[in-house]
Amino acid sequence: MKIFQKEIKLESHKRGFHLITDAILHAIPEIVEIQMGQLQVFIKHTSASLTINENADYTVRMDFESHFNKMIPENAPYYKHTYEGPDDMPAHIKASLLGASVQIPITYGKLNLGIWQGIYLCEHRDYGGARQIVISAFGV
């Protein structure tokens, strides 16, 4: 069994859904040594999340942002956690819905994603800043 782990800092992204597949692959080239295994990507934040979806048409990411903002609005009158700004509590809810990690099979040294799939950083704050990501690859 081979195990590789890296922690990287992603540059600050504006609010929205951003493809980070290439950044992940660049950070952990050791996956080429794994014939069969798993890659786990974990974000160490409560107001950003990760998901896997469309990697070709950028309008999918725009529609995700529009829909999430309509589904989970800012300034809802029932929010109690408001001292960090109007985008903070909605960011926590969005992050919980999407999740803090994704797991992808590694097959013959490559991520076994579908042809139209990519890893998204989902930045739910207007000014979230740099984000810490832990990448773990393991297998034989």
Side-chain angles (χ1 to χ4, degrees):
M1 169 85 64
K2 296 176 183 175
I3 302 172
F4 305 101
Q5 188 172 79
K6 303 268 178 85
E7 185 165 336
I8 64 169
K9 182 188 283 189
L10 294 176
E11 64 185 43
S12 180
H13 285 78
K14 66 180 184 176
R15 183 169 163 168
F17 291 72
H18 308 277
L19 277 172
I20 60 167
T21 311
D22 289 343
I24 299 301
L25 290 171
H26 179 74
I28 193 152
E30 295 90 348
I31 69 167
V32 299
E33 298 180 34
I34 298 174
Q35 293 300 298
M36 182 173 44
Q38 294 286 315
L39 180 81
Q40 182 189 46
V41 184
F42 176 79
I43 189 164
K44 295 173 68 171
H45 300 277
T46 61
S47 57
S49 57
L50 300 170
T51 195
I52 295 173
N53 215 293
E54 168 79 50
N55 69 359
D57 185 350
Y58 73 95
T59 62
V60 171
R61 296 188 303 277
M62 294 170 62
D63 289 346
F64 261 100
E65 179 65 14
S66 296
H67 185 78
F68 266 72
N69 290 336
K70 188 162 191 88
M71 191 170 70
I72 304 160
E74 292 184 7
N75 298 310
Y78 48 84
Y79 291 158
K80 304 289 186 250
H81 179 76
T82 58
Y83 59 88
E84 292 182 56
D87 66 336
D88 189 47
M89 190 59 225
H92 292 308
I93 295 169
K94 293 171 186 177
S96 286
L97 287 174
L98 289 170
S101 67
V102 293
Q103 193 159 318
I104 304 140
I106 299 170
T107 306
Y108 302 119
K110 296 182 179 181
L111 294 184
N112 198 345
L113 288 164
I115 192 167
W116 304 115
Q117 289 181 317
I119 304 167
Y120 288 9
L121 164 68
C122 313
E123 178 55 68
H124 305 303
R125 297 292 312 264
D126 290 332
Y127 305 101
R131 299 298 191 171
Q132 294 294 124
I133 303 284
V134 178
I135 307 163
S136 303
F138 50 92
V140 295

